[in-house]
Amino acid sequence: MKTVIASALLVLASTLPVSGMAAGEHNHNHGAAPSDTKMQSYAPESQMTEGVVRKVDKAAGRVTLAHGPLANLGMNMPMTMAFRVKDAAWLDQMKDGDKIRFVADSVNGALTVIKFEPAK
Ligand SMILES: [Cu+2]
């Protein structure tokens, strides 16, 4: 699956911020792939995506969200899917029908909400 591969690459990039930045400073044009430039320009931490809570499964630590495009995960169309959450306490702040804003990323191969805030 393309999406899974892209997510894995993004995880590698986002979990190695120090080495990634060092490489960027000392290695500007040594054949950097276009995708590298693209990933760095995303700044996914600052891009909140809107979603609507469809189902909260506290036992499984997952929430099903109808969400807009998640460019950093290669999801270019709205869809509904289940995510893990970085902080299980967030599940107590979500209920069916809630509008939220969130950032998702692939953590250890699992799509995970890594940033969350209620939307009004
Ligand atoms: Cu999705």
Side-chain angles (χ1 to χ4, degrees):
M1 286 169 57
K2 269 185 189 169
T3 302
V4 171
I5 293 166
S7 299
L9 290 172
L10 283 164
V11 167
L12 286 174
S14 61
T15 53
L16 297 170
V18 176
S19 59
M21 282 158 72
E25 283 174 13
H26 301 286
N27 194 22
H28 279 290
N29 287 308
H30 290 232
S35 60
D36 283 351
T37 307
K38 196 176 169 192
M39 280 192 283
Q40 286 171 10
S41 66
Y42 267 130
E45 313 84 46
S46 61
Q47 287 193 346
M48 305 288 279
T49 298
E50 295 194 357
V52 178
V53 176
R54 292 299 187 206
K55 186 183 170 201
V56 179
D57 187 340
K58 290 181 189 174
R62 293 166 80 90
V63 59
T64 301
L65 298 172
H67 69 81
L70 293 171
N72 64 313
L73 294 174
M75 299 180 193
N76 299 316
M77 307 192 319
M79 68 182 87
T80 299
M81 57 189 288
F83 292 88
R84 292 186 165 279
V85 292
K86 182 180 167 190
D87 183 346
W90 292 344
L91 296 175
D92 293 323
Q93 301 172 46
M94 299 176 184
K95 63 180 188 303
D96 292 6
D98 276 1
K99 287 187 178 145
I100 67 165
R101 286 158 56 78
F102 71 103
V103 176
D105 205 343
S106 179
V107 177
N108 297 325
L111 293 174
T112 304
V113 176
I114 58 171
K115 227 173 147 182
F116 152 77
E117 66 183 34
K120 293 294 175 222

